Amino acid sequence: MTPFDRRVTPARPDLAARHLQGRVEAARFVDGVVREVRDASAPLRREPAPDAPLDTEALRGERVTVYETNQEGWCWAQLERDGYVGWLPVDALAEPGPVATHAVSVLRTLAFPGPSITLPPVAAYSLGCRLAVTRTEGPLAATPSGWVPARHLAPLDAHAVDFVAVAERFLGVPYVWGGKTSLGIDCSGLVQVALQACGAASPRDSDMQERALGEAVAADVAGLRRGDLVFWKGHVAVVRDADTFVHATAFHMMVAVEPIADVVRRVSGEGGGAIRAVKRLPQPLDSGAPQT
């Protein structure tokens, strides 16, 4: 049978997606059921337990395919946008609602239960959350989950043009392994969210990004350009200019701008080794599906 990456293949020894029958070995194959993330974000964990490692997060409005639900309130599912597979809380999902029309275009916004900002907020949505706007009333847009400032939303086909500038909006956001929201984000999550805001698809983890994104240039710091991605083992940083990176770093436990020379010296000394790759992205960014 064909080897597969468990992170992006809905297959286990006991269960697999029906479309993989004949390609992977499993005790049984099932059709999935499409659901939608109804919470502001949903943790996707490696095991069905609240203290299991966080692999990534799914944002409001994202569609997922559920292949199994257990009695403890977890479902084994695959995310639609990047194909990641893992365990999500059942309560964070719902049957698909109206098709999303807009995405949150600011770092974070609030939803109110009615068309007034004097009401107590009912939700907080991060950059990239998808919502279905039904109408606007004054400065607020009505969605099935509340009223959101219209200025904080953009039509799904209206993309940012500078993914580095998008990444810079996260400066000071805490570092969280597996995170991809304004409450916490990791290095590859920052790259993925910033690229998606520009309409470009990106895989989730740094090793996937190293393989799939851009074209390889010399794996050193000479001649770096704004927007280049620099990869070490287990880490990716975004070139901001000739002298600095912006990245989510566990060293500072937040998204930070740092001198390139300092990061190269520190990451290499922490066991990251030499720079593995420098990838240069096309301009304009490619909005096609990532290769995994």
Side-chain angles (χ1 to χ4, degrees):
M1 292 292 179
T2 304
F4 61 87
D5 186 336
R6 67 145 190 94
R7 296 172 295 178
V8 291
T9 309
R12 310 184 321 229
D14 63 321
L15 177 67
R18 191 175 303 281
H19 68 83
L20 295 174
Q21 194 162 3
R23 297 171 53 198
V24 302
E25 294 182 353
R28 61 190 178 100
F29 296 85
V30 300
D31 295 315
V33 178
V34 176
R35 292 291 182 263
E36 184 176 279
V37 178
R38 68 177 182 182
D39 288 356
S41 64
L44 185 143
R45 300 192 182 277
R46 204 164 302 172
E47 301 294 339
D51 58 351
L54 178 68
D55 279 339
T56 188
E57 293 179 294
L59 302 183
R60 167 79 193 203
E62 182 165 1
R63 299 289 171 94
V64 307
T65 302
V66 174
Y67 293 101
E68 181 186 47
T69 300
N70 68 20
Q71 294 182 344
E72 287 72 44
W74 294 87
C75 63
W76 188 63
Q78 183 171 34
L79 307 186
E80 181 180 84
R81 294 198 74 181
D82 61 20
Y84 221 104
V85 176
W87 293 90
L88 293 162
V90 172
D91 289 346
L93 307 179
E95 292 190 8
V99 176
T101 60
H102 290 68
V104 174
S105 57
V106 295
L107 187 64
R108 197 163 188 82
T109 192
L110 298 175
F112 302 90
S116 172
I117 61 172
T118 65
L119 299 172
V122 293
Y125 297 124
S126 285
L127 178 75
C129 286
R130 295 185 169 196
L131 303 168
V133 173
T134 56
R135 70 183 191 280
T136 59
E137 188 170 317
L140 298 178
T143 78
S145 55
W147 293 75
V148 178
R151 292 178 180 271
H152 293 178
L153 302 175
L156 291 183
D157 60 356
H159 302 133
V161 296
D162 183 353
F163 90 94
V164 181
V166 176
E168 290 172 328
R169 297 185 201 171
F170 285 82
L171 288 174
V173 168
Y175 178 91
V176 172
W177 182 280
K180 51 184 286 185
T181 75
S182 58
L183 292 178
I185 200 163
D186 65 12
C187 65
S188 55
L190 181 66
V191 170
Q192 185 188 53
V193 169
L195 286 174
Q196 288 177 344
C198 295
S202 170
R204 176 58 177 89
D205 293 343
S206 63
D207 64 316
M208 300 174 178
Q209 293 170 352
E210 181 183 342
R211 291 192 301 269
L213 298 177
E215 294 185 1
V217 297
D220 59 45
V221 296
L224 291 177
R225 300 180 187 174
R226 180 178 174 87
D228 284 350
L229 301 176
V230 180
F231 294 90
W232 294 263
K233 180 181 179 181
H235 189 62
V236 57
V238 181
V239 176
R240 182 171 172 264
D241 54 38
D243 300 312
T244 59
F245 285 135
V246 57
H247 62 153
T249 167
F251 181 79
H252 292 293
M253 288 303 294
M254 66 178 183
V255 178
V257 169
E258 290 192 87
I260 289 173
D262 290 356
V263 177
V264 170
R265 182 172 55 252
R266 184 178 71 244
V267 173
S268 299
E270 291 174 345
I275 293 172
R276 288 166 49 128
V278 176
K279 304 298 288 288
R280 184 157 293 159
L281 304 181
Q283 296 297 329
L285 290 172
D286 181 6
S287 61
Q291 302 171 8
T292 55

